[in-house]
Amino acid sequence: MPLRFFADHCVSNFIVKTLRDAGHEVFLLKEHIPTDSPDPLVISKAQELDSILISLNGDFSDIVTYPPVNYKGIIALQVKNHPEIMPQLITRLKGYLSAHSDMDYYKGKLFLVEVHRIRIRE
């Protein structure tokens, strides 16, 4: 069963294509809400679409503001002003997604995707 993602406006076409090529469903923010929507609306739309939010926006990594337990899953790509690491991040993420292909696995968790690891916060 494919995973469902809601791609924040900062998620590149490369990432979207990579996820889709891996067989996952990806909803684009710009097709559902205005691209300048505030973060609470973004994450709310992800929940409405029964999707895991994927973002480069560091705000979604804040577990006080966005407690993972309240959401169907948040994947925060940790680029940290180094766009050259994106291929490594996506390779790590793809491997992880293929090993964990059940939507329920992501519920209530924040995944911080880094080049050398994926940290999980609950």
Side-chain angles (χ1 to χ4, degrees):
M1 173 185 241
L3 296 170
R4 284 181 312 284
F5 295 98
F6 185 70
D8 197 357
H9 70 91
C10 55
V11 174
S12 70
N13 290 334
F14 166 71
I15 297 168
V16 171
K17 182 179 180 338
T18 300
L19 292 171
R20 287 180 173 162
D21 287 350
H24 304 297
E25 186 175 5
V26 183
F27 299 109
L28 302 178
L29 180 141
K30 67 183 178 182
E31 295 173 352
H32 295 275
I33 56 177
T35 55
D36 61 350
S37 294
D39 291 345
L41 180 58
V42 171
I43 201 155
S44 175
K45 182 54 75 171
Q47 300 313 291
E48 181 183 316
L49 294 170
D50 196 30
S51 300
I52 301 162
L53 176 67
I54 186 165
S55 182
L56 282 78
N57 180 343
D59 293 349
F60 292 115
S61 300
D62 180 352
I63 63 172
V64 173
T65 305
Y66 299 102
V69 70
N70 295 340
Y71 304 104
K72 297 192 188 324
I74 302 169
I75 295 178
L77 301 173
Q78 305 293 290
V79 178
K80 299 181 182 177
N81 294 321
H82 293 283
E84 70 277 4
I85 68 170
M86 190 57 68
Q88 294 101 318
L89 285 179
I90 296 308
T91 297
R92 176 160 304 283
L93 179 60
K94 273 179 39 180
Y96 194 86
L97 298 176
S98 67
H100 303 91
S101 59
D102 181 19
M103 283 291 294
D104 287 338
Y105 175 78
Y106 297 87
K107 187 176 182 179
K109 297 175 185 165
L110 165 65
F111 298 83
L112 300 162
V113 181
E114 301 172 348
V115 171
H116 300 293
R117 65 183 175 171
I118 295 179
R119 292 184 292 141
I120 302 171
R121 308 278 309 265
E122 296 184 59

